[in-house]
């Protein structure tokens, strides 16, 4: 029945002794019971073997005297062969779990004497320890108490060490040993940590709850450094990928020990598991590989939120705003809470009052007097399954019955209207265990003003029961509406609206002490001030670590799966006109593309031909696939026939290298860009140069075409947009070129690409800056630094994503693939490569790249690793073409060859 939750906050359990408890000795009502005596830093606890008898807790501050029995009975001196006895006279005791029922502690006031007969040869140091701890508990100032207890604890730890006999194997090699505390909700347990070449061990000083905790390093999947008690001293280890709770949470006494343990474990697992960042999880979430629930769980973990720390418990949003309807309609926007605002800003009238008070407040200003997550709020929701935690937090008492978690609707209404209630939810509302909504323990939680006992949580009319409530809550969290707006809530809790001017504008300002870095405990010399401040912050709640400093990208929502809606926070997305039972041509195309990318590792070399004298720089193929045009640094444009397997044309426009080529719609004209500053138009039908555009002051590096417009990038630091009116070939009239826009850059532009909707252009410079431009206004939307960037390509979406080019992938001399969110300009993923990748194609999840060494590599972008290597060219792969079905690839290399590749299912 004993647990650490019977201790006070910040109290330690040191040791236990088998003992008999005698109450009112030598009196008519003398009572004697057998059990164990627990020596704690602020109390004495006796746990009877008989479960019917209550656990007795005697606060040391309420002790009048603590003496060895022989001091009280001079005529009956102890002999060394007799058991030791301790007499404790106190003014107050607490009786806990009487009849083994979890209930508020019963307080017995008045002078009482308790005699504890210890079942071992009497030891003087037990009484000396109790005297020492009693003096610490009776000190007037909390800081002095904490300092003295800490000194006692450290002395005990220094006199002990990890028992090496607890190692799983005699062959284990010890890497380090240090002192630490195992953290569980509301309590910590001191002991010794050992890291070997195979295991992580923790041995509690008191042997509770078991002699040693062992974590096999081979099973570790995640490890996080934690901020505990506002200090960077925590470390949490997970042996699962997605579970909410960890396997062990340790708090160290200095950050050097914490960092060394982290390094040893991380070094062991780094070859087995890819390290995940907020950005890598973001990419998985955007692409639909993890759910909204999983993404929020990962963000909480990365932001120092832990189930073992109630002051930093994972925070989840209120999603549903309708708790009165008989049917929950997830197709209506009004069913949902506005995720772009914090809870405190959802009610305009209340917000107006808070803003007025905020404006009149002197520094430090804050808008809300309480937080959205705190230990009290967490246990408010969980009291029915974690009553002992509530009793521990509230000194042995439950909250008043009318303030308990009685009703979902009442709680939501109070969060909207209450003057000081701004709490969000916890993960349990979106999981599968509904026990926290049911009083299955039959706890006496009190009687409400109307006379009704507090029992199960009252559910909204649309829920048939607790399980159904959770099921519908999960459906709401994963609904299209929430998927489209969840990034707005992330901006508030974990993102750029958490601090600074953006937080003020979003009405999202809490007390400065709740933010990471809001106070430096090391700079506070007064121990009493430090303890008081720490207690205040831990009870009030803490704001998560800020993970993002720029707007969070929106999730990609497939059109066919999206709901049609308009609101102040979203753009209407049209439903597909196809009936549910029809498979459109676009659906079949999407399926074939998905099938191709799923089997991209089965790409096989079909044919190869050496057709140039220098490296091949560009590839373009006619619609029917029969003719392949290539450009090369040997200054020639060549036309290769796949049918006859011969070069049918070879054209040289100047003695300078050609950099790229494309074929205009209709397969009548090929356009080539050149290092001689010109762009050449070649007529396929008439086999001659048709026109030349002298539009730049330096080499033209890349060209794109769309709807009669030509986009040209140049080393003269510009991208130019031209309107081209075709000439009449027979009368030898030239094309008419009109300069529509000139996009200025600071340095040479190496590459450009258009999104699928031809509304956004991306450009990359030799210094590694990617600029995203709105073509309609010729203005830059975002700029992102990606060092040594050389090549990039927009993600080409399947039919229902065709208007939504959301991600940009780049690679360069810095040997990295980098993914940028086009909507926000945020760099959301980076994958390191062994060597530069010169060209690539990708579908958002998988990359097919051509390497500097000539291999074709297939990458799992989300996993950040190469899944297949295919031998190819003998020099760098310089250019790559892929057909629309993604089952045919042509590469051009530094070895002057073109290679034809086919998927072989």
């Amino acid at each position: 029945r004993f647990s650490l939750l019977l201790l006070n906050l910040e109290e330690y359990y040191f040791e236990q002794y088998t003992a008999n408890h005698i109450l009112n000795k030598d009196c008519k009502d003398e009572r004697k019971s057998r059990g164990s005596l627990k020596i704690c830093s602020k109390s004495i606890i006796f746990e009877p073997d008989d479960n019917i008898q209550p656990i007795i807790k005697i606060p040391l501050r309420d002790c009048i005297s603590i003496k060895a029995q022989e001091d009280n009975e001079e005529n009956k001196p102890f002999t060394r062969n007799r058991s030791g006895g301790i007499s404790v006279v106190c003014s107050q005791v607490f009786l806990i779990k009487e009849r083994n029922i979890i209930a508020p502690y019963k307080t017995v006031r008045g002078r009482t004497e308790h005699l504890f007969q210890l079942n071992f040869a009497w030891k003087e140091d037990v009484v000396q320890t109790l005297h020492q701890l009693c003096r610490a508990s009776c000190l007037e100032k909390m800081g002095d108490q904490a300092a003295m207890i800490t000194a006692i604890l450290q002395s005990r730890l220094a006199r002990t060490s990890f028992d090496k006999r607890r190692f799983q194997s005699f062959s284990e090699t010890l890497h380090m040993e240090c002192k630490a505390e195992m953290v569980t909700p509301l309590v910590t347990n001191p002991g010794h940590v050992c890291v070997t070449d195979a295991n992580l061990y923790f041995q509690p000083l008191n042997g509770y709850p078991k002699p040693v905790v062992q974590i096999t390093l081979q099973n570790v999947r995640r490890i996080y450094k934690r901020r505990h008690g506002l200090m960077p001293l925590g470390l949490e280890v997970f042996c699962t990928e997605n579970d909410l709770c960890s396997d062990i949470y340790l708090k160290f006494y200095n950050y050097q020990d914490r960092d060394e343990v982290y390094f040893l474990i991380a070094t062991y697992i780094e070859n087995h598991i890819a390290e995940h960042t907020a950005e890598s999880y973001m990419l998985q979430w955007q692409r639909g590989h993890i759910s909204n629930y999983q993404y929020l769980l990962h963000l909480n973990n990365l932001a120092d939120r832990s189930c073992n720390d109630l002051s930093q418990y994972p925070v989840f949003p209120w999603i549903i705003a309708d708790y009165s309807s008989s049917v929950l309609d997830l197709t209506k926007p009004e069913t949902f809470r506005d995720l772009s605002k914090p809870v405190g800003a959802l009610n305009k009238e209340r917000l107006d009052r808070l803003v007025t008070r905020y404006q009149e407040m002197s520094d430090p200003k804050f808008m809300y007097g309480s937080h959205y997550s705190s230990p009290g709020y967490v246990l408010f929701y969980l009291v029915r399954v974690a009553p002992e935690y509530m009793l521990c937090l509230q000194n042995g008492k439950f909250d008043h019955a009318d303030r308990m978690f009685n009703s979902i609707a009442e709680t939501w209404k109070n969060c909207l209207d209450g003057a000081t209630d701004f709490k969000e939810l916890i993960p349990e509302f979106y999981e599968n265990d509904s026990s926290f909504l049911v009083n299955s323990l039959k706890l006496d939680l009190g009687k409400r003003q109307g006379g009704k006992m507090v029992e199960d949580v009252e559910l909204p009319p649309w829920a048939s029961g607790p399980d159904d409530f959770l099921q519908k809550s999960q459906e709401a969290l994963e609904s299209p509406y929430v998927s489209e707006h969840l990034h707005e809530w992330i901006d508030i809790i974990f993102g750029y609206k958490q601090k600074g001017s953006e937080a003020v504008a979003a009405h999202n300002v809490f007390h400065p002490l709740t933010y990471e870095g809001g106070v430096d405990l090391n700079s506070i010399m007064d121990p009493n001030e430090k303890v008081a401040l720490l207690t205040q912050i831990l009870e009030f709640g803490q704001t998560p670590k800020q993970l993002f400093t720029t707007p969070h990208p929106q999730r990609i929502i497939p059109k066919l799966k999206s709901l049609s809606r308009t609101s102040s926070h979203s753009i209407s997305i049209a439903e597909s006109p196809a009936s549910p039972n029809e498979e459109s041509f676009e659906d079949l195309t999407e399926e074939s593309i998905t099938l191709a990318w799923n089997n991209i590792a089965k790409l096989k070399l079909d044919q190869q031909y050496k057709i140039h004298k220098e490296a091949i720089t560009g590839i373009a193929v006619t619609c029917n696939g029969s003719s392949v045009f290539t450009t090369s640094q040997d200054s020639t444009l060549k036309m290769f026939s796949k049918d006859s397997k011969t070069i049918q044309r070879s054209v040289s426009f100047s003695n300078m290298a050609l950099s790229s080529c494309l074929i205009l719609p209709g397969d009548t004209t090929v356009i080539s860009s050149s290092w001689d500053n010109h762009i050449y138009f070649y007529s396929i039908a008439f086999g001659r140069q048709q026109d030349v555009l002298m539009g730049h002051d330096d080499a033209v590096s890349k060209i794109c075409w769309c709807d009669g417009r030509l986009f040209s990038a140049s080393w003269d630091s510009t991208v130019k947009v031209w309107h081209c009116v075709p000439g009449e070939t027979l009368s030898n009239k030239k094309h008419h070129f009109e300069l529509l826009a000139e996009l200025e850059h600071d340095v040479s532009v190496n590459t450009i690409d258009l999104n699928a909707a031809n509304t956004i252009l991306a450009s990359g410079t030799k210094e590694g800056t990617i600029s995203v431009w709105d073509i309609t206004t010729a203005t830059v939307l975002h700029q992102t630094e990606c060092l040594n960037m050389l090549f990039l390509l927009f993600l080409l979406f399947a039919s229902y994503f065709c208007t939504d080019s959301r991600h940009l992938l780049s690679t360069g001399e810095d040997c990295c693939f980098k993914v940028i969110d086009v909507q926000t300009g945020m760099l959301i993923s980076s994958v390191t490569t062994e060597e530069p990748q010169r060209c690539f194609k990708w579908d958002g999840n998988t990359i097919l790249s051509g390497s500097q060494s000539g291999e074709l590599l297939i990458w799992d972008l989300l996993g950040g690793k190469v899944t297949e290597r295919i031998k190819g060219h003998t020099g760098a792969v310089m250019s790559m073409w892929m057909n629309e079905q993604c089952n045919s690839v042509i590469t051009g290399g530094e070895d002057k060859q073109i290679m034809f590749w086919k998927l072989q299912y």
Side-chain angles (χ1 to χ4, degrees), residues 287 590 593 597 753-758 793-799 801-809 840-844 882-884 886:
R287 303 298 308 142
E590 168 63 16
I593 291 173
W597 276 104
D753 196 63
L754 288 166
N755 71 336
N758 301 313
L793 183 71
F794 266 94
L795 170 57
L796 300 177
F797 291 87
S799 58
F801 286 127
C802 62
T803 60
D804 220 353
S805 295
R806 292 288 300 277
H807 290 148
L808 187 67
L809 179 65
F840 62 87
K841 301 291 179 183
W842 73 315
D843 72 336
M882 178 182 277
N883 67 345
E884 288 186 8
C886 304

Side-chain angles (χ1 to χ4, degrees), residues 5 157 165 423 436 528 556 594 620 673 679:
L5 293 169
L157 287 170
R165 292 173 297 180
K423 60 179 171 286
F436 75 101
N528 300 298
I556 299 171
T594 302
S673 56
I679 300 168

